[in-house]
Coordinates of all heavy atoms in Angstrom, one line a residue:
M158 N -35.5 25.5 -37.0 CA -35.5 26.9 -37.3 C -34.4 27.2 -38.3 O -33.3 26.8 -38.1 CB -35.3 27.7 -36.0 CG -35.3 29.1 -36.2 SD -35.3 30.1 -34.7 CE -33.7 30.0 -34.2
Q159 N -34.8 27.8 -39.4 CA -33.8 28.1 -40.5 C -33.1 29.4 -40.2 O -33.8 30.4 -39.8 CB -34.6 28.2 -41.8 CG -33.7 28.4 -43.0 CD -34.4 28.5 -44.3 OE1 -35.7 28.4 -44.3 NE2 -33.7 28.6 -45.3
K160 N -31.8 29.4 -40.3 CA -31.0 30.6 -40.1 C -31.2 31.5 -41.3 O -31.3 31.0 -42.5 CB -29.6 30.3 -39.9 CG -29.3 29.5 -38.7 CD -27.8 29.3 -38.6 CE -27.4 28.7 -37.3 NZ -25.9 28.4 -37.2
D161 N -31.2 32.8 -41.1 CA -31.3 33.7 -42.2 C -29.9 33.9 -42.8 O -28.9 33.3 -42.3 CB -31.9 35.0 -41.8 CG -31.0 35.8 -40.8 OD1 -30.1 35.2 -40.3 OD2 -31.3 37.0 -40.6
I162 N -29.8 34.6 -43.9 CA -28.5 34.7 -44.7 C -27.4 35.4 -43.9 O -26.3 35.1 -44.1 CB -28.8 35.4 -46.1 CG1 -27.6 35.3 -47.0 CG2 -29.2 36.8 -45.9 CD1 -27.5 33.9 -47.6
F163 N -27.8 36.3 -43.0 CA -26.9 37.0 -42.2 C -26.0 36.1 -41.4 O -24.8 36.2 -41.3 CB -27.6 38.1 -41.4 CG -26.6 38.9 -40.5 CD1 -25.9 39.9 -41.0 CD2 -26.5 38.6 -39.2 CE1 -25.1 40.7 -40.2 CE2 -25.6 39.3 -38.3 CZ -24.9 40.3 -38.9
Y164 N -26.7 35.2 -40.7 CA -26.0 34.2 -39.8 C -25.2 33.3 -40.6 O -24.1 32.9 -40.1 CB -27.0 33.5 -38.9 CG -27.7 34.3 -37.9 CD1 -29.0 34.6 -37.9 CD2 -26.9 34.9 -36.9 CE1 -29.6 35.4 -36.9 CE2 -27.5 35.7 -35.9 CZ -28.8 35.9 -35.9 OH -29.4 36.7 -35.0
R165 N -25.6 32.9 -41.8 CA -24.8 32.0 -42.6 C -23.5 32.7 -43.0 O -22.4 32.1 -43.0 CB -25.6 31.5 -43.8 CG -26.7 30.5 -43.4 CD -27.4 30.1 -44.6 NE -28.6 29.3 -44.2 CZ -29.0 28.2 -44.9 NH1 -28.3 27.8 -45.9 NH2 -30.0 27.6 -44.4
I166 N -23.6 34.0 -43.4 CA -22.5 34.7 -43.9 C -21.5 34.9 -42.7 O -20.3 34.7 -42.9 CB -22.9 36.0 -44.5 CG1 -23.6 35.8 -45.8 CG2 -21.7 37.0 -44.7 CD1 -24.2 37.0 -46.4
I167 N -22.0 35.3 -41.6 CA -21.1 35.5 -40.4 C -20.5 34.2 -40.0 O -19.3 34.2 -39.7 CB -21.9 36.1 -39.2 CG1 -22.4 37.5 -39.5 CG2 -21.1 36.1 -37.9 CD1 -21.3 38.5 -39.7
S168 N -21.2 33.1 -40.0 CA -20.6 31.8 -39.6 C -19.5 31.4 -40.6 O -18.4 31.0 -40.2 CB -21.6 30.7 -39.6 OG -22.6 30.9 -38.6
F169 N -19.7 31.6 -41.9 CA -18.7 31.3 -42.9 C -17.5 32.2 -42.7 O -16.3 31.8 -42.8 CB -19.3 31.6 -44.3 CG -18.2 31.4 -45.4 CD1 -17.7 30.2 -45.8 CD2 -17.7 32.6 -46.0 CE1 -16.8 30.1 -46.7 CE2 -16.8 32.5 -47.0 CZ -16.3 31.2 -47.4
L170 N -17.7 33.5 -42.5 CA -16.6 34.4 -42.3 C -15.8 34.1 -41.0 O -14.6 34.3 -41.0 CB -17.1 35.9 -42.3 CG -17.6 36.5 -43.6 CD1 -18.1 37.9 -43.4 CD2 -16.4 36.5 -44.6
L171 N -16.5 33.7 -40.0 CA -15.8 33.3 -38.8 C -14.9 32.1 -39.0 O -13.7 32.0 -38.6 CB -16.7 33.1 -37.6 CG -17.3 34.3 -36.9 CD1 -18.4 33.9 -36.0 CD2 -16.2 35.0 -36.2
G172 N -15.4 31.1 -39.7 CA -14.6 29.9 -40.0 C -13.4 30.2 -40.9 O -12.3 29.8 -40.6
A173 N -13.7 31.0 -41.9 CA -12.6 31.4 -42.8 C -11.6 32.3 -42.0 O -10.3 32.1 -42.3 CB -13.1 32.2 -44.0
S174 N -12.0 33.1 -41.1 CA -11.1 33.9 -40.4 C -10.2 33.1 -39.5 O -9.0 33.4 -39.4 CB -11.8 34.9 -39.5 OG -12.6 35.8 -40.3
W175 N -10.7 32.1 -38.9 CA -9.9 31.2 -38.0 C -8.8 30.5 -38.9 O -7.7 30.3 -38.5 CB -10.7 30.2 -37.3 CG -11.3 30.8 -36.0 CD1 -12.6 31.1 -35.8 CD2 -10.6 31.1 -34.8 NE1 -12.7 31.7 -34.5 CE2 -11.5 31.7 -33.9 CE3 -9.2 31.1 -34.5 CZ2 -11.1 32.2 -32.7 CZ3 -8.9 31.5 -33.2 CH2 -9.8 32.1 -32.3
A176 N -9.3 30.0 -40.1 CA -8.3 29.4 -41.0 C -7.2 30.3 -41.4 O -6.0 30.0 -41.5 CB -9.0 28.8 -42.2
I177 N -7.6 31.6 -41.7 CA -6.6 32.6 -42.1 C -5.6 32.9 -40.9 O -4.4 33.1 -41.1 CB -7.3 33.9 -42.6 CG1 -8.0 33.6 -43.9 CG2 -6.3 35.0 -42.7 CD1 -8.9 34.7 -44.4
V178 N -6.1 32.9 -39.7 CA -5.3 33.2 -38.5 C -4.3 32.0 -38.4 O -3.1 32.3 -38.2 CB -6.1 33.3 -37.3 CG1 -5.2 33.2 -36.0 CG2 -6.9 34.6 -37.3
L179 N -4.7 30.8 -38.5 CA -3.8 29.7 -38.3 C -2.8 29.6 -39.4 O -1.6 29.5 -39.2 CB -4.6 28.4 -38.2 CG -5.5 28.3 -36.9 CD1 -6.3 27.0 -36.9 CD2 -4.6 28.3 -35.7
L180 N -3.2 29.6 -40.6 CA -2.3 29.5 -41.8 C -1.4 30.8 -41.9 O -0.2 30.7 -42.2 CB -3.1 29.2 -43.1 CG -3.7 27.9 -43.2 CD1 -4.5 27.8 -44.4 CD2 -2.7 26.8 -43.1
G181 N -2.0 31.9 -41.6 CA -1.3 33.2 -41.7 C -0.2 33.2 -40.7 O 0.9 33.7 -41.0
A182 N -0.5 32.7 -39.5 CA 0.5 32.8 -38.4 C 1.7 31.9 -38.8 O 2.9 32.3 -38.6 CB -0.1 32.3 -37.1
L183 N 1.4 30.8 -39.4 CA 2.5 29.9 -39.8 C 3.3 30.5 -41.0 O 4.6 30.5 -40.9 CB 2.0 28.5 -40.3 CG 3.0 27.5 -40.8 CD1 3.9 27.1 -39.7 CD2 2.3 26.4 -41.5
I184 N 2.7 31.2 -41.9 CA 3.4 31.8 -43.0 C 4.2 33.0 -42.5 O 5.3 33.2 -42.9 CB 2.3 32.2 -44.1 CG1 1.8 31.0 -44.8 CG2 3.0 33.2 -45.1 CD1 0.6 31.3 -45.7
V185 N 3.6 33.8 -41.6 CA 4.3 35.0 -41.1 C 5.5 34.5 -40.3 O 6.6 35.1 -40.4 CB 3.4 35.8 -40.2 CG1 4.1 36.8 -39.4 CG2 2.3 36.5 -41.0
F186 N 5.4 33.5 -39.5 CA 6.5 33.0 -38.7 C 7.6 32.5 -39.6 O 8.8 32.9 -39.4 CB 6.1 31.8 -37.8 CG 7.2 31.3 -37.0 CD1 7.6 32.0 -35.9 CD2 7.7 30.1 -37.3 CE1 8.7 31.5 -35.1 CE2 8.8 29.5 -36.5 CZ 9.2 30.2 -35.4
K187 N 7.3 31.7 -40.6 CA 8.3 31.2 -41.5 C 8.9 32.3 -42.4 O 10.1 32.2 -42.7 CB 7.7 30.1 -42.4 CG 7.5 28.8 -41.7 CD 7.2 27.7 -42.6 CE 7.1 26.4 -41.8 NZ 7.1 25.2 -42.7
T188 N 8.2 33.3 -42.7 CA 8.7 34.4 -43.6 C 9.7 35.2 -42.8 O 10.8 35.6 -43.3 CB 7.5 35.3 -44.0 OG1 6.6 34.5 -44.8 CG2 8.1 36.4 -44.9
F189 N 9.4 35.5 -41.5 CA 10.3 36.4 -40.8 C 11.3 35.6 -40.0 O 12.1 36.2 -39.2 CB 9.5 37.3 -39.8 CG 8.7 38.3 -40.5 CD1 7.4 38.2 -40.9 CD2 9.4 39.5 -40.9 CE1 6.7 39.2 -41.5 CE2 8.7 40.5 -41.6 CZ 7.4 40.4 -41.9
L190 N 11.4 34.3 -40.1 CA 12.4 33.5 -39.4 C 13.8 33.8 -39.9 O 14.7 33.6 -39.1 CB 12.0 32.0 -39.6 CG 12.8 31.0 -38.7 CD1 12.6 31.3 -37.2 CD2 12.4 29.6 -39.0
V191 N 13.9 34.3 -41.1 CA 15.3 34.6 -41.6 C 15.8 35.8 -40.8 O 17.1 36.0 -40.8 CB 15.3 34.8 -43.1 CG1 14.9 33.6 -43.9 CG2 14.3 36.0 -43.5
L192 N 15.0 36.6 -40.2 CA 15.4 37.8 -39.5 C 15.8 37.5 -38.0 O 16.3 38.3 -37.3 CB 14.4 38.9 -39.6 CG 14.0 39.4 -41.0 CD1 12.9 40.4 -40.9 CD2 15.3 40.0 -41.6
G193 N 15.5 36.3 -37.6 CA 15.8 35.9 -36.2 C 14.5 35.3 -35.6 O 13.4 35.7 -35.9
L194 N 14.8 34.4 -34.6 CA 13.7 33.7 -34.0 C 12.8 34.7 -33.1 O 11.6 34.6 -33.1 CB 14.2 32.6 -33.1 CG 13.2 31.7 -32.4 CD1 12.3 31.0 -33.4 CD2 13.8 30.7 -31.5
G195 N 13.5 35.5 -32.4 CA 12.8 36.4 -31.5 C 11.9 37.4 -32.2 O 10.7 37.6 -31.9
L196 N 12.4 38.0 -33.3 CA 11.6 39.0 -34.1 C 10.5 38.2 -34.8 O 9.4 38.8 -34.9 CB 12.5 39.7 -35.1 CG 11.8 40.7 -36.0 CD1 11.3 41.8 -35.1 CD2 12.8 41.2 -37.1
S197 N 10.7 37.0 -35.2 CA 9.7 36.2 -35.9 C 8.5 35.9 -34.9 O 7.4 36.1 -35.3 CB 10.3 35.0 -36.4 OG 9.3 34.2 -37.0
I198 N 8.9 35.6 -33.7 CA 7.8 35.3 -32.7 C 7.0 36.6 -32.4 O 5.8 36.5 -32.3 CB 8.4 34.7 -31.5 CG1 8.9 33.2 -31.8 CG2 7.4 34.6 -30.3 CD1 9.7 32.6 -30.7
V199 N 7.7 37.7 -32.2 CA 7.0 38.9 -31.9 C 6.1 39.4 -33.0 O 5.0 39.7 -32.8 CB 8.1 40.0 -31.6 CG1 7.4 41.4 -31.5 CG2 8.8 39.8 -30.3
I200 N 6.6 39.3 -34.2 CA 5.7 39.7 -35.4 C 4.5 38.7 -35.5 O 3.4 39.1 -35.8 CB 6.6 39.7 -36.7 CG1 7.5 40.9 -36.6 CG2 5.7 39.9 -37.9 CD1 8.5 41.0 -37.7
T201 N 4.8 37.4 -35.3 CA 3.7 36.5 -35.4 C 2.6 36.7 -34.3 O 1.4 36.7 -34.5 CB 4.2 35.0 -35.2 OG1 5.2 34.8 -36.3 CG2 3.1 34.0 -35.4
I202 N 3.1 37.0 -33.1 CA 2.1 37.4 -32.0 C 1.3 38.6 -32.3 O 0.1 38.7 -32.1 CB 2.9 37.5 -30.6 CG1 3.3 36.1 -30.2 CG2 2.0 38.1 -29.6 CD1 4.2 36.1 -29.0
F203 N 2.0 39.6 -32.9 CA 1.3 40.8 -33.3 C 0.3 40.5 -34.4 O -0.9 41.0 -34.3 CB 2.3 41.9 -33.8 CG 1.7 43.2 -34.2 CD1 1.2 44.0 -33.2 CD2 1.6 43.5 -35.5 CE1 0.6 45.2 -33.6 CE2 1.1 44.7 -35.9 CZ 0.6 45.6 -34.9
Y204 N 0.6 39.7 -35.4 CA -0.3 39.3 -36.4 C -1.5 38.5 -35.8 O -2.7 38.8 -36.2 CB 0.4 38.4 -37.4 CG -0.6 37.7 -38.4 CD1 -1.0 38.4 -39.5 CD2 -1.0 36.4 -38.2 CE1 -1.9 37.8 -40.4 CE2 -1.9 35.8 -39.1 CZ -2.3 36.5 -40.2 OH -3.2 35.9 -41.0
I205 N -1.3 37.6 -34.9 CA -2.4 36.9 -34.2 C -3.3 37.9 -33.4 O -4.5 37.7 -33.5 CB -1.8 35.8 -33.3 CG1 -1.2 34.7 -34.2 CG2 -2.9 35.2 -32.4 CD1 -0.5 33.6 -33.4
F206 N -2.7 38.8 -32.7 CA -3.5 39.8 -32.0 C -4.4 40.6 -32.9 O -5.6 40.7 -32.6 CB -2.5 40.7 -31.2 CG -3.2 41.7 -30.4 CD1 -3.9 41.4 -29.2 CD2 -3.3 43.1 -30.8 CE1 -4.6 42.4 -28.5 CE2 -3.9 44.0 -30.1 CZ -4.6 43.7 -28.9
I207 N -3.9 41.1 -34.0 CA -4.7 41.9 -34.9 C -5.8 41.0 -35.5 O -7.0 41.4 -35.6 CB -3.8 42.5 -36.0 CG1 -2.8 43.5 -35.4 CG2 -4.7 43.2 -37.1 CD1 -3.4 44.7 -34.8
S208 N -5.5 39.8 -35.9 CA -6.4 38.9 -36.5 C -7.5 38.5 -35.5 O -8.7 38.4 -35.9 CB -5.7 37.6 -37.0 OG -4.8 37.9 -37.9
L209 N -7.2 38.3 -34.3 CA -8.2 37.9 -33.3 C -9.1 39.1 -33.0 O -10.3 39.0 -32.7 CB -7.6 37.5 -32.0 CG -6.9 36.1 -32.1 CD1 -6.3 35.7 -30.7 CD2 -7.9 35.0 -32.5
F210 N -8.6 40.3 -33.1 CA -9.4 41.5 -32.9 C -10.4 41.6 -34.1 O -11.6 41.9 -33.8 CB -8.5 42.8 -32.9 CG -9.3 44.1 -32.8 CD1 -9.9 44.4 -31.6 CD2 -9.5 44.9 -33.9 CE1 -10.6 45.6 -31.5 CE2 -10.2 46.0 -33.8 CZ -10.8 46.4 -32.6
L211 N -10.0 41.2 -35.3 CA -11.0 41.2 -36.4 C -12.0 40.1 -36.2 O -13.2 40.3 -36.6 CB -10.2 41.1 -37.7 CG -9.3 42.2 -38.1 CD1 -8.5 41.9 -39.3 CD2 -10.1 43.5 -38.2
I212 N -11.7 39.0 -35.7 CA -12.6 37.9 -35.4 C -13.6 38.4 -34.3 O -14.8 38.1 -34.4 CB -11.9 36.6 -35.0 CG1 -11.2 36.0 -36.2 CG2 -12.9 35.6 -34.4 CD1 -10.3 34.8 -35.9
L213 N -13.1 39.1 -33.3 CA -14.0 39.6 -32.3 C -15.0 40.6 -32.9 O -16.1 40.7 -32.5 CB -13.1 40.3 -31.2 CG -13.9 40.8 -30.0 CD1 -14.5 39.7 -29.2 CD2 -12.9 41.6 -29.1
T214 N -14.6 41.4 -33.9 CA -15.5 42.3 -34.5 C -16.6 41.6 -35.3 O -17.7 42.0 -35.2 CB -14.7 43.2 -35.5 OG1 -13.6 43.8 -34.8 CG2 -15.6 44.2 -36.2
L215 N -16.2 40.5 -35.9 CA -17.3 39.7 -36.6 C -18.3 39.1 -35.6 O -19.5 39.1 -35.8 CB -16.6 38.6 -37.4 CG -16.0 38.9 -38.8 CD1 -15.3 37.7 -39.3 CD2 -17.1 39.4 -39.7
D216 N -17.7 38.7 -34.5 CA -18.6 38.1 -33.5 C -19.5 39.2 -32.9 O -20.7 38.9 -32.5 CB -17.8 37.5 -32.4 CG -18.6 36.6 -31.5 OD1 -19.5 35.9 -32.0 OD2 -18.3 36.6 -30.2
A217 N -19.0 40.4 -32.8 CA -19.8 41.5 -32.3 C -21.0 41.8 -33.2 O -22.1 42.1 -32.8 CB -19.0 42.8 -32.1
F218 N -20.8 41.6 -34.5 CA -21.9 41.8 -35.5 C -23.0 40.8 -35.2 O -24.2 41.1 -35.2 CB -21.4 41.6 -36.9 CG -20.7 42.8 -37.5 CD1 -19.5 42.6 -38.2 CD2 -21.1 44.1 -37.3 CE1 -18.8 43.7 -38.7 CE2 -20.4 45.2 -37.8 CZ -19.3 44.9 -38.5
S219 N -22.6 39.6 -34.9 CA -23.6 38.5 -34.6 C -24.4 38.8 -33.3 O -25.6 38.7 -33.3 CB -22.9 37.2 -34.5 OG -23.8 36.2 -34.2
V220 N -23.6 39.2 -32.3 CA -24.3 39.5 -31.0 C -25.3 40.7 -31.2 O -26.4 40.7 -30.6 CB -23.2 39.8 -29.9 CG1 -23.8 40.4 -28.7 CG2 -22.5 38.5 -29.6
N221 N -24.9 41.7 -31.9 CA -25.7 42.9 -32.1 C -27.0 42.5 -32.9 O -28.1 43.0 -32.6 CB -25.0 44.0 -32.8 CG -24.1 44.7 -31.8 OD1 -24.3 44.7 -30.6 ND2 -23.0 45.4 -32.3
K222 N -26.8 41.6 -33.8 CA -28.0 41.2 -34.6 C -29.0 40.4 -33.7 O -30.2 40.6 -33.8 CB -27.5 40.3 -35.8 CG -28.6 39.7 -36.6 CD -29.4 40.7 -37.4 CE -30.3 40.0 -38.4 NZ -31.1 40.8 -39.2
Q223 N -28.4 39.6 -32.8 CA -29.3 38.8 -31.9 C -30.0 39.8 -30.9 O -31.1 39.6 -30.6 CB -28.5 37.8 -31.1 CG -28.0 36.6 -31.9 CD -27.0 35.7 -31.2 OE1 -26.6 36.0 -30.1 NE2 -26.7 34.6 -31.8
R224 N -29.2 40.8 -30.5 CA -29.8 41.8 -29.5 C -30.9 42.5 -30.2 O -32.0 42.8 -29.6 CB -28.7 42.8 -29.1 CG -29.2 43.7 -28.1 CD -28.2 44.7 -27.6 NE -27.0 44.0 -27.1 CZ -25.8 44.6 -27.0 NH1 -25.6 45.8 -27.4 NH2 -24.8 43.9 -26.4
L225 N -30.8 42.9 -31.5 CA -31.8 43.6 -32.2 C -33.1 42.7 -32.4 O -34.2 43.2 -32.2 CB -31.3 44.0 -33.6 CG -32.3 44.6 -34.6 CD1 -32.8 46.0 -34.0 CD2 -31.7 44.8 -35.9
S226 N -32.9 41.4 -32.7 CA -34.0 40.6 -32.9 C -34.8 40.4 -31.5 O -36.0 40.3 -31.5 CB -33.6 39.2 -33.5 OG -32.9 38.5 -32.6
E227 N -34.1 40.3 -30.4 CA -34.7 40.2 -29.1 C -35.4 41.4 -28.8 O -36.5 41.4 -28.2 CB -33.7 39.8 -28.1 CG -33.2 38.4 -28.1 CD -34.3 37.4 -27.9 OE1 -35.2 37.6 -27.0 OE2 -34.3 36.4 -28.6
A228 N -34.9 42.6 -29.1 CA -35.5 43.9 -28.8 C -36.8 44.0 -29.6 O -37.8 44.5 -29.2 CB -34.6 45.0 -29.1
Q229 N -36.8 43.5 -30.9 CA -38.0 43.5 -31.7 C -39.1 42.7 -31.1 O -40.3 43.0 -31.1 CB -37.6 43.1 -33.1 CG -36.8 44.2 -33.9 CD -36.4 43.7 -35.2 OE1 -36.3 42.5 -35.5 NE2 -36.0 44.6 -36.1
K230 N -38.7 41.5 -30.6 CA -39.7 40.6 -30.0 C -40.3 41.2 -28.8 O -41.5 41.2 -28.6 CB -39.0 39.2 -29.7 CG -38.7 38.4 -30.8 CD -38.0 37.1 -30.3 CE -37.4 36.3 -31.5 NZ -36.6 35.1 -31.0
Q231 N -39.5 41.9 -28.0 CA -39.9 42.5 -26.8 C -40.8 43.7 -27.1 O -41.8 43.9 -26.4 CB -38.8 43.0 -25.9 CG -38.0 41.8 -25.3 CD -36.8 42.3 -24.6 OE1 -36.5 43.5 -24.4 NE2 -36.0 41.4 -24.0
T232 N -40.5 44.4 -28.1 CA -41.4 45.5 -28.5 C -42.7 45.1 -29.0 O -43.8 45.6 -28.6 CB -40.7 46.3 -29.7 OG1 -39.4 46.8 -29.2 CG2 -41.5 47.5 -30.1
T233 N -42.8 44.0 -29.7 CA -44.0 43.4 -30.2 C -44.9 43.0 -29.0 O -46.1 43.3 -28.9 CB -43.8 42.2 -31.1 OG1 -43.0 42.6 -32.2 CG2 -45.1 41.7 -31.7
L234 N -44.2 42.3 -28.0 CA -44.9 41.9 -26.9 C -45.4 43.0 -26.0 O -46.6 43.0 -25.5 CB -44.0 41.0 -26.0 CG -44.6 40.3 -24.8 CD1 -45.8 39.4 -25.1 CD2 -43.5 39.6 -24.0
L235 N -44.6 44.0 -25.8 CA -45.1 45.2 -25.1 C -46.2 46.0 -25.8 O -47.1 46.5 -25.1 CB -43.9 46.2 -24.8 CG -42.8 45.7 -23.8 CD1 -41.6 46.6 -23.8 CD2 -43.5 45.6 -22.4
E236 N -46.2 46.0 -27.1 CA -47.3 46.6 -27.8 C -48.6 45.9 -27.6 O -49.7 46.5 -27.5 CB -47.0 46.8 -29.3 CG -45.9 47.8 -29.6 CD -45.5 47.8 -31.1 OE1 -45.8 46.9 -31.8 OE2 -44.8 48.8 -31.4
K237 N -48.5 44.5 -27.6 CA -49.7 43.7 -27.3 C -50.2 44.0 -25.9 O -51.4 44.1 -25.7 CB -49.4 42.3 -27.5 CG -49.2 41.8 -29.0 CD -48.9 40.4 -29.1 CE -48.6 40.0 -30.5 NZ -48.3 38.5 -30.6
I238 N -49.3 44.0 -25.0 CA -49.7 44.2 -23.6 C -50.4 45.6 -23.4 O -51.4 45.8 -22.8 CB -48.6 44.1 -22.6 CG1 -48.1 42.6 -22.6 CG2 -48.9 44.6 -21.2 CD1 -46.8 42.3 -21.8
Y239 N -49.8 46.6 -24.1 CA -50.2 48.0 -24.0 C -51.6 48.1 -24.6 O -52.5 48.7 -24.1 CB -49.3 48.9 -24.7 CG -49.7 50.4 -24.7 CD1 -49.6 51.1 -23.5 CD2 -50.2 51.0 -25.8 CE1 -50.1 52.4 -23.5 CE2 -50.6 52.3 -25.8 CZ -50.5 53.0 -24.6 OH -51.0 54.3 -24.6
S240 N -51.8 47.5 -25.8 CA -53.1 47.6 -26.5 C -54.2 46.8 -25.7 O -55.3 47.2 -25.7 CB -53.0 47.1 -27.9 OG -52.7 45.7 -27.9
K241 N -53.8 45.8 -25.0 CA -54.8 45.0 -24.2 C -55.2 45.8 -23.0 O -56.4 45.8 -22.6 CB -54.1 43.7 -23.7 CG -55.0 42.8 -22.9 CD -54.3 41.6 -22.5 CE -55.2 40.7 -21.6 NZ -54.5 39.5 -21.2
H242 N -54.3 46.6 -22.4 CA -54.7 47.3 -21.2 C -55.3 48.7 -21.4 O -55.8 49.3 -20.5 CB -53.5 47.5 -20.2 CG -53.1 46.2 -19.6 ND1 -53.9 45.5 -18.8 CD2 -51.9 45.5 -19.7 CE1 -53.3 44.4 -18.3 NE2 -52.1 44.3 -18.9
T243 N -55.1 49.2 -22.6 CA -55.7 50.5 -22.9 C -57.1 50.5 -23.5 O -57.7 51.5 -23.6 CB -54.8 51.3 -24.0 OG1 -54.6 50.5 -25.1 CG2 -53.4 51.6 -23.3
K244 N -57.6 49.3 -23.7 CA -59.0 49.2 -24.2 C -60.0 49.4 -23.1 O -60.0 49.3 -22.0 CB -59.2 47.9 -24.9 CG -58.5 47.8 -26.2 CD -58.8 46.5 -26.9 CE -58.1 46.4 -28.2 NZ -58.3 45.2 -28.9

């Protein structure tokens, strides 16, 4: 089964987002390390939290697309059943 372009884009964006989270956390930690270890860790955790929320949003797009396709399949099936019983 071939995936449509939506799933390919979402998969690419999810992979890129994970890479941005990992590399970004390292960069944020090293950047703020001059201000102190505690502050650097807190800011890095805040960055990771915001980034994971954005990844969760991308995943929600994928789940909603799957829910829509399943609803369309069910609608088609119900229309067939309805047309069969109303004749």
Side-chain angles (χ1 to χ4, degrees):
M158 181 169 79
Q159 183 180 3
K160 293 183 177 179
D161 65 347
I162 191 77
F163 179 80
Y164 289 117
R165 289 180 188 221
I166 291 172
I167 292 294
S168 295
F169 173 76
L170 289 175
L171 281 172
S174 297
W175 279 108
I177 289 171
V178 167
L179 293 176
L180 291 175
L183 180 65
I184 292 170
V185 167
F186 180 76
K187 286 190 174 192
T188 301
F189 288 99
L190 192 56
V191 297
L192 299 176
L194 182 63
L196 182 63
S197 179
I198 290 173
V199 168
I200 292 173
T201 303
I202 289 172
F203 183 71
Y204 170 80
I205 290 172
F206 179 75
I207 297 297
S208 300
L209 290 178
F210 180 74
L211 295 175
I212 289 174
L213 185 64
T214 305
L215 282 174
D216 195 38
F218 285 134
S219 177
V220 169
N221 284 334
K222 177 71 173 177
Q223 290 173 353
R224 185 182 300 160
L225 176 65
S226 67
E227 287 298 318
Q229 288 173 341
K230 289 177 189 176
Q231 291 175 4
T232 302
T233 305
L234 183 60
L235 288 173
E236 287 174 350
K237 287 180 184 178
I238 292 171
Y239 179 74
S240 67
K241 181 179 177 182
H242 289 300
T243 56
K244 289 184 179 181

